[in-house]
């Protein structure tokens, strides 16, 4: 990414926030900012970045917004009322030392993560309005056609209008923040383990999630869960480079080359979660970050403090019980008490929301292989591969199934 692209992407939420706060018309403001970004990409590449880029973008976006209002002849009355409401000095270039002082990131995140929207719509709108990605980039991230993603974003903006969403602090800030954190968490997870497509990871999505969560933490330094989520992302993404081999194949945690882990990110994440746990009430993201920190502290897979990991999963289950937490806890239980104890837990999960999910069968296969039942393990690996949407995961699971079959053949001939 060039310096101009990076500057435009990081400036987008501040400029959009300024316009939405001023006019309250999210759809038109977002269109106006996108047009200003196109103008800036051309002008800045040709003439260089102006001395006050945010002021430049805000001025151009304001003019584009006024143009959009004027051009809507079918709504002449609204056009006149809105245009009259535009402060005259807002259409003039700001003085040299006038950059937009207010940071509207938090309000913009709240708006994009409005509860009236579905989770996919929240993520798409967040990537478009806050992360500054184009519709084509978002479509590529979720493996859908540009037209489909464009329609999804348009419907999301229309739904905001229908729901009467306002650019203002929410009535229930704690609940709204929980939704924002969840959307950022989902965004990171999609980048870290893509649900479909040929690649295991989408570093562009994880980078956006880390950037936005870092900015959110800066805005809300007293939020233990914002800090916990940032620490979790840093500690998890620190392993990113070691999760794939030379040909993009999946490398499980126990087999990763830990010299490839990002030690600077691990140090930052560990320090952040250590300070947060000592100063804030414990929340689910903090506990997940603590689990990631335990893994990061182990020099080898054998050195992992599995009893501590299991204890943390026990705590996480009490704070935020879920089928995914129970599945991850089963893995830790298998390391502490043996695979058979963990398989008993999986039998219960098969009747819950994870029934038919490839990760459930992948964990079952792993535990069966450890228990010595390679025939059943191979079948579970193959079933997991059939259910997985990601090509890299499919290949990994089929290779594990082949390994089980080869071990069975070897044992039958010796």
């Amino acid at each position: 990414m060039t310096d101009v692209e990076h500057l435009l992407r990081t400036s987008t939420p501040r400029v959009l926030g300024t316009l939405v706060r001023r006019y309250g018309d999210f759809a038109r403001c977002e269109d106006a900012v996108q047009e200003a970004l196109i103008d800036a990409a051309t002008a800045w590449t040709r003439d260089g970045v102006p001395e006050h880029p945010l002021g430049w973008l805000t001025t151009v976006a304001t003019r584009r917004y006024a143009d959009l209002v004027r051009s809507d002849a079918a709504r002449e009355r609204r056009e006149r009322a809105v245009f009259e409401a535009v402060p005259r000095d807002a259409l003039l270039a700001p003085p040299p030392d006038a950059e937009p002082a207010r940071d509207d990131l938090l309000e913009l995140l709240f708006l994009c993560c409005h509860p009236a929207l579905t989770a996919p719509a929240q993520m798409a709108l967040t990537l478009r309005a806050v992360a500054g990605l184009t519709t084509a980039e978002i479509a590529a991230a979720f493996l859908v056609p540009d037209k489909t993603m464009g329609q999804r974003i348009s419907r999301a903006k229309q739904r905001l209008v229908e729901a009467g969403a306002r650019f203002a602090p929410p009535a229930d800030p704690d609940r709204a923040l929980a939704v924002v954190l969840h959307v950022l968490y989902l965004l990171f997870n999609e980048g870290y383990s893509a649900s479909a497509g040929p690649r295991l990871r989408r570093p562009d999505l994880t980078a956006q999630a880390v950037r936005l969560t870092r900015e959110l933490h800066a805005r809300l330094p007293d939020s233990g869960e914002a800090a916990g989520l940032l620490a979790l992302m840093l500690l998890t993404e620190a392993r990113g480079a070691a999760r794939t081999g030379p040909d993009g194949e999946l490398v499980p945690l126990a087999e990763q080359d830990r010299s490839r882990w990002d030690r600077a990110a691990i140090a930052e994440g560990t320090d952040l979660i250590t300070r947060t746990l000592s100063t804030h009430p414990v929340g689910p993201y903090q506990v997940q970050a603590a689990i990631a920190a335990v893994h990061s502290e182990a020099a080898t897979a054998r050195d992992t403090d599995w009893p501590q990991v299991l204890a943390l999963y026990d705590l996480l289950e009490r704070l935020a019980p879920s089928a995914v937490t129970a599945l991850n806890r089963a893995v830790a239980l298998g390391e502490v008490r043996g695979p058979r104890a963990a398989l008993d837990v999986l039998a219960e999960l098969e009747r819950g929301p994870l029934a038919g999910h490839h990760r459930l069968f992948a964990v079952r296969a792993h535990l069966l292989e450890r228990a010595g039942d390679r025939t059943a393990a191979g079948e579970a690996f193959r079933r997991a591969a059939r259910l997985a949407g990601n090509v890299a995961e499919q290949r990994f699971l089929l290779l594990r199934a082949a390994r089980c079959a080869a071990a069975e053949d070897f044992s039958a001939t010796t």
Side-chain angles (χ1 to χ4, degrees), residues 4-21:
V4 168
E5 289 174 319
H6 177 73
L7 181 58
L8 290 174
R9 186 157 288 177
T10 55
S11 299
T12 297
R14 295 187 65 183
V15 177
L16 179 57
T18 297
L19 263 67
V20 175
R21 171 164 45 84

Side-chain angles (χ1 to χ4, degrees), residues 188 192 201 203 206-207 210 214 229-244 253 256-270 292-293 295-297:
F188 179 86
Y192 193 72
R201 301 173 58 232
T206 55
V210 172
R214 190 184 292 280
L229 181 57
L230 176 58
L232 173 61
M233 289 181 179
L234 291 170
L235 290 162
T236 305
E237 183 64 2
R239 304 195 298 262
R243 288 187 70 232
T244 53
L253 178 62
Q256 289 175 14
D257 177 1
R258 301 189 175 210
S259 68
R260 298 182 64 197
W261 289 3
D262 185 341
R263 291 295 160 185
I266 289 173
E268 182 184 0
T270 301
H295 285 296
S296 299
E297 291 168 354

Side-chain angles (χ1 to χ4, degrees), residues 8 27 59 69 122-123 193 197 236 247 256 268 321-322 365 373 383 394 411 414:
L8 290 174
T59 298
V69 173
Q122 290 171 339
M123 281 202 288
S193 292
T236 305
D247 298 321
Q256 289 175 14
E268 182 184 0
S322 72
D373 191 347
R383 188 168 183 182
Q394 292 171 359
S411 63
T414 56

